[in-house]
Amino acid sequence: MAFIGDKDNVYDAILPATKYYPELTLAEFQSLFHFLSNETKESLLQQIKVARITTHRELLTSMSPFESLDALSQAQFDDIDTGVTLYKQAVFSLAANFVIGNQISSDTTKEASERQEALTQKAEHCLVQYRRAIDLLINAHETYRIEVV
């Protein structure tokens, strides 16, 4: 196993920009998330694709009045960087949750119980990051407080 963000082999895959959203790079995901995983390039790319689809579905209604994420960001936050930042936070956090979930499902030995607890907490934290980013993109402010208990 190696740290995703510390691998000597930085993955060069790109999910291209869409009508509304910017491109996403696997290398950027690798640089942001440093948890243990033995995921392949293809596996990570698949998780990011699914996370992006989920995020797009959540934002569908909010995006319809706008020409792009930049336009939504300009209207909501008076700049274009905030929208891109929150969008990437949402997609990458959800993808990280998926990757951690895969790791949890493969760590089923008795010796792995403490590690599983740590991974579970990390997965929950990633879901909170995802939910906060979506909430901010949709409402321009946090509408509820998220706590992991």
Side-chain angles (χ1 to χ4, degrees), residues 11-88:
Y11 297 142
D12 61 358
I14 295 174
L15 277 76
T18 66
K19 176 181 176 184
Y20 291 117
Y21 304 106
E23 77 175 21
L24 297 172
T25 66
L26 204 47
E28 187 173 7
F29 177 79
Q30 286 179 278
S31 73
L32 294 173
F33 291 93
H34 300 280
F35 49 82
L36 282 172
S37 179
N38 57 358
E39 300 289 327
T40 64
K41 174 182 175 179
E42 293 75 19
S43 175
L44 289 176
L45 191 57
Q46 178 66 18
Q47 301 305 338
I48 293 172
K49 285 178 182 179
V50 172
R52 185 169 79 161
I53 291 165
T54 303
T55 301
H56 289 184
R57 293 302 301 168
E58 286 236 28
L59 296 175
L60 190 61
T61 303
S62 298
M63 287 301 299
S64 61
F66 300 98
E67 293 179 17
S68 66
L69 181 62
D70 288 349
L72 175 135
S73 185
Q74 190 66 45
Q76 300 276 53
F77 306 106
D78 204 26
D79 68 58
I80 58 172
D81 294 331
T82 302
V84 171
T85 299
L86 291 171
Y87 171 75
K88 288 181 178 183

